[in-house]
Amino acid sequence: MITSCFLTSAAIFALITLHVAALDTFIAAVYEHAVVLPSDTEIPVSRDDALRLMNKNIDILERVIKLAAEQGARIIVTPEDALYGWKFTRETVFPYLEDIPDPQVNWIPCQNPYRFGDTPVQARLSCLAKNNSIYVLANIGDKKPCSSRNSRCPTNGYYQYNTNVVYDTKGKLVARYHKYHLYSEPQFDVPEKPELVTFNTTFGRFGIFTCFDILFHDPAITLVKDFHVDTVLFPTAWMNVLPLLTAIEFHSAWAMGMRVNLLVANTHHVSLNMTGSGIYAPNSPKVYHYDMKTQLGRILLSEVDSHPRASPAYPTAVNWSAYATAIRPFRVQKNTFGGFISRDEFNFTELFENAGNLTVCQKELCCHLSYRMLEKEENEVYVLGAFTGLHGRRRREYWQVCTMLKCKTTNLTTCGRPVEIASTRFEMFSLSGTFGTEYVFPEVLLTEIHLSPGKFEVLKDGRLVNKNGTSGPILTVALFGRWYAKDSVYNSSGTSNSAVTYLLISTLLMSVAF
């Protein structure tokens, strides 16, 4: 009885302590890293050479992590591929890999670096977290031995995974996530199923996924909808694709659409259009970075709500089709025409006048736009577009998109092509659509690839509208919908052979990028 009372008292004390220590807000940091790349990835290097390269990148991360901690950051996210780059074969990436155990083993690599074999990279990352009293997310490669008796086991006897690890302020490994949706990565294997990885802190509950994962239901949607994470940690090596899929544009829209904090650390590599990091709250971007002019990395810090659902500013749930299905469609112009964004054929209609109300439809999706330009620029053409269907050459992801965008030139055949400069400002716009999905992400992108924080909002009936006066010069306004239930299955046999998976996924991804 005495022991029972003591345990109960201890439990109550622990709960009180946790409650007192819990933080309403915290400072988050993300770092966009210009990776020191290997000179040759076609020929395997020694383990010592691999460590030498990774330590060069960790040297940079060390300075950034220390700076973030000095600025009061509780957690920092570093990018995908930050330690060694991305262009490898299975054989040439192997010297860079370490065996990363399940966090349940209760391991602090900084204190016991040899417990799981040769793990100097994990030990150093653990020490960076411990010595600076900060949570650190890093992306590294995991190797897991497998038996040749297993038909799925690769020929080298190892599964190889693109992996995120998180160390807490004591240096303890608290999370490990294996990327599921690979982006042209023949060096890595696809896990048997998507992993749903979360961890708790005194400043909220966190979930993790990587890069291309964000475009799919699992694990991304499930972590937010079913596991109720407050903040998602998102390392990426994102190649920007105008007009709908630049990093800052889509990631900020995803945070708003899912009503969750999203901490994004992108790789910085200008020649591959890799840039765009940010700290995004459910109602607006906190801070973001996009730089195609320099080769420099950049650290971002911002204060965010630990539990955004409890915040008075938390946005209300949206019925994305409520307005669009309730009104009578606006005038549909006779000169609706087809045009392409990447490989997807949209139906477009031109914004002929300075102001108006327009509708354009494609199959079951009708997009409605009310607008008023401050002044119509004679050398700029805008269109309203609609697309519903399976995206890309492989036709595997089901998109529903309503968009108002600037055409590249006054020639209508250029509508949908990438464009970075605009002059036309809008006094008012209201965009809505008859979406069949509840997963819609609102995008507004301004000239020279800038976001528009505080200048637009989503109403609970599904309208994306401007606010607080005239907009900046607009490149794109979009409602980007993902109808996951209509996605085509990648591999109905369930086979996860890496070569087959690579061919299927990389082909799809190339259609996204190009």
Side-chain angles (χ1 to χ4, degrees):
M1 180 65 69
I2 296 175
T3 303
S4 176
C5 290
F6 172 77
L7 291 175
T8 303
S9 299
I12 293 173
F13 176 75
L15 287 173
I16 293 172
T17 302
L18 181 62
H19 179 74
V20 171
L23 301 173
D24 293 330
T25 65
F26 68 99
I27 295 176
V30 301
Y31 178 58
E32 182 162 309
H33 177 46
V35 185
V36 180
L37 296 171
S39 58
D40 189 354
T41 58
E42 296 180 0
I43 301 173
V45 299
S46 68
R47 173 64 171 165
D48 286 343
D49 285 343
L51 285 173
R52 193 171 296 113
L53 177 80
M54 288 190 284
N55 278 317
K56 287 181 181 179
N57 283 295
I58 297 174
D59 287 344
I60 299 171
L61 299 185
E62 181 175 10
R63 294 193 290 270
V64 172
I65 290 168
K66 182 179 180 181
L67 176 62
E70 290 173 346
Q71 297 296 314
R74 295 276 179 162
I75 191 166
I76 183 168
V77 182
T78 63
E80 182 183 24
D81 300 328
L83 300 191
Y84 46 74
W86 46 87
K87 187 179 179 182
F88 291 95
T89 65
R90 291 184 61 84
E91 183 181 14
T92 58
V93 81
F94 194 80
Y96 297 87
L97 310 181
E98 295 184 357
D99 188 350
I100 305 170
D102 188 305
Q104 292 183 1
V105 299
N106 191 26
W107 181 40
I108 300 177
C110 186
Q111 294 179 351
N112 192 356
Y114 301 106
R115 181 179 170 188
F116 295 96
D118 181 37
T119 58
V121 173
Q122 295 174 78
R124 189 170 180 197
L125 293 170
S126 168
C127 290
L128 289 179
K130 180 177 181 291
N131 295 341
N132 293 284
S133 297
I134 186 173
Y135 280 77
V136 174
L137 181 146
N139 177 264
I140 60 180
D142 187 10
K143 60 181 181 182
K144 287 287 177 281
C146 54
S147 171
S148 59
R149 292 191 296 272
N150 182 344
S151 61
R152 295 179 54 253
C153 184
T155 56
N156 71 340
Y158 286 88
Y159 293 118
Q160 301 175 182
Y161 299 118
N162 180 330
T163 307
N164 299 331
V165 291
V166 178
Y167 301 98
D168 69 10
T169 56
K170 306 294 186 182
K172 179 183 175 181
L173 177 67
V174 293
R176 180 196 66 185
Y177 170 72
H178 296 137
K179 183 181 179 182
Y180 189 73
H181 298 284
L182 298 179
Y183 188 110
S184 189
E185 298 167 78
Q187 69 271 36
F188 292 124
D189 295 294
V190 178
E192 287 190 38
K193 60 183 179 180
E195 299 173 352
L196 300 167
V197 176
T198 66
F199 64 96
N200 294 314
T201 72
T202 57
F203 47 96
R205 190 175 200 194
F206 290 79
I208 310 167
F209 50 81
T210 308
C211 202
F212 197 49
D213 288 328
I214 200 171
L215 285 169
F216 296 86
H217 188 276
D218 293 323
I221 302 300
T222 300
L223 282 174
V224 179
K225 293 276 287 187
D226 298 338
F227 286 72
H228 307 291
V229 297
D230 299 299
T231 301
V232 172
L233 308 180
F234 184 63
T236 184
W238 192 278
M239 297 170 61
N240 292 296
V241 183
L242 287 162
L244 299 173
L245 283 174
T246 64
I248 60 173
E249 172 188 26
F250 183 72
H251 300 156
S252 61
W254 194 90
M256 183 174 285
M258 294 306 299
R259 299 186 296 158
V260 69
N261 294 329
L262 182 66
L263 311 185
V264 181
N266 198 4
T267 300
H268 189 83
H269 196 284
V270 171
S271 65
L272 291 178
N273 292 325
M274 289 181 180
T275 184
S277 301
I279 298 173
Y280 306 113
N283 57 350
S284 184
K286 291 287 188 175
V287 62
Y288 70 94
H289 174 67
Y290 180 95
D291 171 24
M292 285 290 289
K293 297 178 180 179
T294 77
Q295 304 296 330
L296 303 176
R298 179 73 174 268
I299 186 172
L300 304 175
L301 299 103
S302 180
E303 185 177 19
V304 295
D305 288 328
S306 300
H307 305 282
R309 292 177 184 84
S311 168
Y314 190 64
T316 59
V318 175
N319 182 335
W320 289 102
S321 61
Y323 176 81
T325 55
I327 67 167
R328 178 177 296 180
F330 300 135
R331 174 172 55 94
V332 178
Q333 298 183 151
K334 294 181 180 180
N335 60 343
T336 297
F337 62 97
F340 286 86
I341 295 180
S342 295
R343 297 179 182 271
D344 299 326
E345 186 171 9
F346 280 64
N347 287 345
F348 288 127
T349 187
E350 185 178 352
L351 279 61
F352 283 107
E353 308 296 335
N354 282 18
N357 301 298
L358 298 174
T359 293
V360 66
C361 299
Q362 185 177 95
K363 294 186 286 189
E364 72 272 15
L365 178 67
C366 285
C367 303
H368 307 310
L369 175 69
S370 298
Y371 72 95
R372 184 169 62 252
M373 299 177 185
L374 181 63
E375 182 177 353
K376 192 175 191 301
E377 301 288 342
E378 293 299 322
N379 63 340
E380 294 191 336
V381 170
Y382 284 79
V383 292
L384 171 65
F387 171 78
T388 183
L390 292 168
H391 159 73
R393 185 173 64 182
R394 298 285 304 184
R395 298 292 188 256
R396 296 189 180 276
E397 305 161 63
Y398 202 96
W399 289 13
Q400 287 195 312
V401 180
C402 292
T403 182
M404 179 187 76
L405 56 81
K406 178 181 179 272
C407 302
K408 188 175 181 63
T409 71
T410 55
N411 186 332
L412 295 181
T413 63
T414 68
C415 298
R417 295 183 189 175
V419 57
E420 297 186 8
I421 303 297
S423 300
T424 302
R425 300 172 184 267
F426 286 74
E427 291 183 328
M428 183 275 287
F429 63 77
S430 173
L431 179 67
S432 62
T434 57
F435 292 98
T437 175
E438 63 180 292
Y439 301 107
V440 180
F441 311 112
E443 302 181 342
V444 176
L445 192 65
L446 303 182
T447 187
E448 297 182 329
I449 321 301
H450 287 290
L451 298 181
S452 187
K455 296 286 287 182
F456 72 92
E457 64 182 332
V458 176
L459 305 182
K460 64 181 180 180
D461 61 7
R463 283 177 288 171
L464 171 57
V465 301
N466 71 309
K467 67 176 185 178
N468 297 330
T470 304
S471 74
I474 286 179
L475 292 175
T476 307
V477 175
L479 291 169
F480 185 112
R482 279 286 284 115
W483 201 339
Y484 303 107
K486 288 196 170 189
D487 282 3
S488 176
V489 177
Y490 278 115
N491 190 350
S492 59
S493 68
T495 302
S496 59
N497 176 272
S498 60
V500 173
T501 305
Y502 164 63
L503 287 173
L504 289 174
I505 295 179
S506 63
T507 303
L508 168 65
L509 283 160
M510 295 305 289
S511 75
V512 173
F514 301 106

